[in-house]
Each structure stands twice: as C-alpha cells, then as structure tokens.
Amino acid sequence: MLYSFKPLLILGWIAACSFAFKSDEDGGINVVVIDAGHGGKDIGTRGRISKEKDVVLDLTMKLARKIKTDMPEVKVILTRASDKFVDLSERSSIANRRKADLFISIHCNSLPKNKVSPAGTETFVMGLHKSDENFEVAKRENAVILLEKDYEERYKGFNPNSPLAYIMLANRQNAYIASSLNFAGKIERQFQKYADRNSRGVKQAGFMVLWQTAMPSVLVEAGFLSHAEEERYLNSEEGQDQITESIFRAFKQYKEEVESN
C-alpha cells in the first residue's frame, strides 16, 4: 500500500531527518567507511550458487586489505566484518560518527528469474531515479528496513515501495553530488579498463543507505548474481581480485585528485 503524503507532512519529514553537511571535497581522504550490503537474516539477492551477503562481504574484506596495505595512512572502517545484520540507519551513522571522508557500499545486482539477466557493473549515487529499472534496484536494496524493529518510526514513515517517498530523498546528498559522481565515474571506468567488465554506467536512485551520510557516497553493484557466468566470476578468486582492484584504483585516483586541489 502506498503512503499518502500531504505537503506539511513532507516538510516535517524532511526537517526531522535533516543534518549538517561538511563542504564538498573539504580536506583530504583520511577515513573511508566500506559497507558490505545486507548480512545476517538479510541475505540480499540470491544466485544459483551464492548469496549476495556472502559475496559482498568477501569483496569488502579484500578491498579493505588492499587499502590498508597500500595506504596505511588511511583509516578503514567496516560496517560489518562478519555475517551479521546491521540496520541501514546504523551503517550511515557509523560513517557520520567516525567523520568519514568517503562511504562505499558494495552490493550485487539481480533480475527476477522470469527475465533474461544482463551482466555488468553499475555505480549509484543518491538522487531521484530516472527509470523504472533504477527504481526497482532501489526498492530491492531498501526493502531491508522492513526487517528492522520500529522502522516506521525510525525512518519517519518512509515506505520503500512508494514512488512518492523517493521524491523526498532526491535532494539529499546534494552537498556531495559532484564528488560522488566523480568517484562513481572513476569506479566504472576502472571496471572497464582494468577488469574488462561491461559497465552499465553511473546512475542515481534513492538508496536509504546513502541518504543520511554526511560525505561523498556511492553504492557499487559489482555484477549480477542472476547471470550464471557473472555469478561464477563474482565467486572466483580472480573475479573478486579484479573487482576490488578496480575499486581500489578508483579510490587511489580520487584521493590523489582531491588532495592535489
């Protein structure tokens, strides 16, 4: 059922969820939070041989090790380092509390079984979805809030199935949109250049895990578990190394660019 929002309720909902932003690209990249999507009772999407929550945890741990090894000056914080359930609001709160300079959420994509699945990567930033496909991705990733206690109170009446609710999220992250798009573009170019993956581009959609982060933030869809060949790739040592190396190279480029300004 769709929620019915009146103008005053919309303004109240936005005001209740507001918070202060830092300026865009302010200072260096000293703290990065890496978020492995889903976890615990929330398995995410499921392929023939794997679950999203497990694949993205592997990718997250590999990326964290790469950054720590090559850039020991950067503090790496994980929202989860094991198979546990973490509320979406807590993931962004971790980044805000630790004053992160960058937030990277890693996921895997999927299409319903009755559709022919594409293959390829996508990197999302917070914004208003511009296609039904982007809306469906956001709905799927946001549906986890229904597993949380008191989600209606915690998310101020946000309904992950209501198109109108996403309009209220569209202006979030505006302070960081340029930086987020910049970093997202670097990720997708590295997926193409280094990993030789099919890039489906940089996109915008209303992801709850991004909307309360007070720093540049991206959500990476590393590939489709609904595509048999890509699922095998995402579960292979070579595939995981290529995906995480691509994100790492983009991170390194972005960090150098920000700190040279």
Side-chain angles (χ1 to χ4, degrees), residues 119 197 224-235:
R197 306 310 296 168
F224 284 79
L225 293 184
S226 52
H227 188 281
E229 182 180 344
E230 190 153 77
E231 182 186 15
R232 288 192 293 272
Y233 173 81
L234 289 169
N235 279 274

Side-chain angles (χ1 to χ4, degrees), residues 95-205:
N96 292 338
R97 286 197 303 268
R98 304 302 289 271
K99 301 187 185 303
D101 300 299
L102 191 64
F103 181 85
I104 306 170
S105 188
I106 301 179
H107 292 253
C108 290
N109 223 330
S110 180
L111 279 187
K113 292 183 179 179
N114 61 341
K115 294 186 177 181
V116 177
S117 177
T121 63
E122 299 173 337
T123 301
F124 285 87
V125 302
M126 185 67 201
L128 184 62
H129 57 274
K130 301 190 184 302
S131 71
D132 290 340
E133 181 181 321
N134 291 2
F135 177 49
E136 290 303 317
V137 175
K139 277 204 306 181
R140 186 183 70 246
E141 300 293 2
N142 290 338
V144 61
I145 71 171
L146 302 178
L147 300 177
E148 300 178 20
K149 294 181 180 179
D150 303 321
Y151 80 90
E152 289 182 328
E153 179 179 350
R154 178 177 298 176
Y155 296 101
K156 314 298 180 184
F158 176 82
N159 178 359
N161 296 313
S162 168
L164 180 58
Y166 286 85
I167 295 174
M168 296 186 295
L169 299 183
N171 291 328
R172 312 304 293 190
Q173 277 278 309
N174 272 356
Y176 305 109
I177 189 65
S179 296
S180 298
L181 287 169
N182 181 9
F183 181 44
K186 286 177 168 53
I187 292 173
E188 285 301 311
R189 285 191 290 275
Q190 285 298 327
F191 280 148
Q192 288 180 299
K193 180 179 177 180
Y194 178 78
D196 196 28
R197 306 310 296 168
N198 171 44
S199 170
R200 291 165 55 84
V202 174
K203 302 180 179 181
Q204 291 184 309

Side-chain angles (χ1 to χ4, degrees), residues 28-45:
I29 307 298
N30 303 307
V31 182
V32 59
V33 170
I34 309 175
D35 171 50
H38 309 281
K41 61 184 177 181
D42 173 27
I43 67 170
T45 190

